[in-house]
Amino acid sequence: MSPNEWLAIGMIAAFFILLIIGIPVAISIAVTAFVFGYLGFGPMLFNLLPSRIYGVVTNYTFMAIPLFVFMGVMLEKSKLAEELIDVIGHLFGGISGGMGVAIIFVGVLLGAATGIVGATIVTLGLLTLPTLLRRGYPKPLATGMICASGTLGQIIPPSLVLILLAEILGESVGTMFAAAMVPGLALAGIYIVAILVVAQLYPGMMPPIPAEERAQLSKKRLLYKVVTVVGPPVGLVFAVLGSIIGGIAAPTEAAAMGALGALVFVACSGRLTVSLLSDVAKATLVISAMVFFILISAQVFGLAFRGLGGEHLVARMFEWVPGGEVSALLFMLLLMFVLGFFLEWIEISYIALPLFLPFFVQMGVDMVWLGILVGLVLQTSFLTPPFGWSLFFLKGVAPKEVSTLNIYKGALPFIGLQFLAVALVFIFPSIATWLPNAIGW
């Protein structure tokens, strides 16, 4: 290997070392790239950097990120989840495992409406975990359902993961949204089927809500609640996604309408205050700044890695994998799963995926199919012990009697169900590609 290729390896190793000692991700990415890039090429390598950064901050599609974040934070901070849990819990509470099914449904709705994993899990943990435990649900099962439900927002559009994957893969955001729709809903369906099967096999584990408690909300009142509580966020999500997938509006335009719709929805509910608006604006600023900081740092890393000959290293690495394209793809997905033990999805997306992408482009792999596979595997990074963020979020709000080991045990079966979804999309690519093809994307 050439000296520069050794520097490329050293750059990746230094990046992980900085992460381990606690340096923030974006700074770790930028520092290692600048240092090793300078060692390899001096300042000459970074002559293209200003134009790369300018391309990120002026990217029209990326304008959708703060708008979708604003929409999600506005709906989350307006206490939408509390009412959704109450209404959907009563809808499904009469069957064994009904509360578990309700939690998955709420995860789908909140994932589509907000896409904020931490907020969804914290809300579900605070509102449902004590109730589940009181009704006799085993601790691992209760915590696993909440963690799995909260991560659905990473694959169900509109998702920041899909927006960034679209940019990396060179596909339109609408195509990625359409491609993720069926796999995301299928994953939720797999969760629901698994919960109902377990409930039938072991009815004592997931008892239904007592009839007296359900009777407190009449059928007429429940129907009214469904229309007024579930209807608006569902309508907003369908309007946003439908306009993008149908080609009526660009992602940024649809995101702007979604942000406005969320604002109007909260105002009509009588919950819009100056304090709430201030909190939403601050949270949107912090989340968006974090995302863009990492995006800009990743440009430096990618430029340095390619300049040091890292692409050739990756190509040779894939040559060592026997079995051709299929084995190479399985190897990359397995590597991303392992990286999910230590890194967040955004670092994996912007550091690992671009390293492997040229190989798969050369092999003629369908980028839409590849993107959905990557998105499903990245979703597991939120659930995998010991560093899955979903597990940390839930532990922070769980009752004292729920141990970290309980949460880890609860996550493992749902990781297995996620792998089942990955396997289905891997074996049957049309699950991801038929909807984009059907609408002409």
Side-chain angles (χ1 to χ4, degrees), residues 179-367:
M181 190 73 71
V182 174
L185 294 177
L187 178 59
I190 290 171
Y191 288 163
I192 290 172
V193 170
I195 289 170
L196 292 176
V197 168
V198 173
Q200 290 301 312
L201 294 176
Y202 307 98
M205 290 178 64
M206 291 183 274
I209 297 176
E212 314 84 63
E213 187 175 339
R214 297 199 308 274
Q216 293 176 4
L217 192 64
S218 66
K219 290 184 178 180
K220 185 177 180 180
R221 179 66 179 170
L222 180 59
L223 180 60
Y224 173 78
K225 286 265 191 182
V226 169
V227 173
T228 58
V229 175
V230 180
V234 171
L236 181 62
V237 169
F238 270 98
V240 171
L241 294 183
S243 62
I244 295 173
I245 295 174
I248 299 171
T252 303
E253 296 161 353
M257 292 307 299
L260 178 61
L263 193 62
V264 171
F265 169 56
V266 174
C268 291
S269 68
R271 300 172 183 172
L272 185 62
T273 63
V274 174
S275 175
L276 174 65
L277 194 58
S278 174
D279 289 344
V280 171
K282 289 177 182 177
T284 301
L285 176 63
V286 170
I287 295 171
S288 301
M290 179 271 294
V291 172
F292 277 97
F293 191 8
I294 294 177
L295 290 180
I296 291 171
S297 298
Q299 299 300 312
V300 186
F301 193 95
L303 191 63
F305 189 80
R306 289 186 177 89
L308 294 171
E311 285 186 0
H312 303 298
L313 279 175
V314 173
R316 289 205 298 271
M317 181 175 63
F318 278 117
E319 289 174 1
W320 301 336
V321 179
E325 175 188 317
V326 172
S327 295
L329 185 53
L330 288 172
F331 171 75
M332 183 193 73
L333 294 176
L334 178 61
L335 182 60
M336 287 190 165
F337 172 70
V338 173
L339 289 175
F341 283 60
F342 312 102
L343 302 178
E344 284 195 84
W345 63 269
I346 191 168
E347 296 97 71
I348 300 173
S349 300
Y350 260 85
I351 299 301
L353 183 57
L355 305 184
F356 306 135
L357 200 56
F359 174 83
F360 292 107
V361 171
Q362 186 179 358
M363 296 289 289
V365 175
D366 187 324
M367 290 294 107

Side-chain angles (χ1 to χ4, degrees), residues 85-86 89-90 93-94 99 127 131-132 134-135 207-218 222:
I85 291 168
D86 181 55
H90 276 81
M99 278 297 292
L127 298 180
T131 304
L132 291 174
R134 190 174 64 250
R135 289 187 172 135
I209 297 176
E212 314 84 63
E213 187 175 339
R214 297 199 308 274
Q216 293 176 4
L217 192 64
S218 66
L222 180 59

Side-chain angles (χ1 to χ4, degrees), residues 13 21 37 55 75-76 106 116 118 126 134 233 244 261 354 357 407 429 431:
I21 64 177
L75 292 176
E76 179 261 320
V106 170
I116 304 173
L126 286 171
R134 190 174 64 250
I244 295 173
L357 200 56
I407 298 175
I431 294 175

Side-chain angles (χ1 to χ4, degrees), residues 7 32-46 304 308:
L7 285 174
T32 52
F34 276 121
V35 170
F36 284 87
Y38 187 84
L39 291 175
F41 286 94
M44 178 180 63
L45 178 66
F46 301 103
L308 294 171

Side-chain angles (χ1 to χ4, degrees), residues 47 57 65 103 130 132 276 312-313 315 340 358-359 377 429 435:
N47 289 340
V57 297
I65 292 175
I103 285 172
L132 291 174
L276 174 65
H312 303 298
L313 279 175
F359 174 83
V377 171
L435 184 56

Side-chain angles (χ1 to χ4, degrees), residues 398-429:
K400 291 182 179 179
E401 65 267 22
V402 177
S403 68
T404 301
L405 184 60
N406 291 145
I407 298 175
Y408 285 178
K409 286 181 178 178
L412 292 178
F414 288 94
I415 294 172
L417 295 175
Q418 284 188 328
F419 276 123
L420 174 59
V422 173
L424 289 173
V425 175
F426 190 92
I427 297 169
F428 305 106

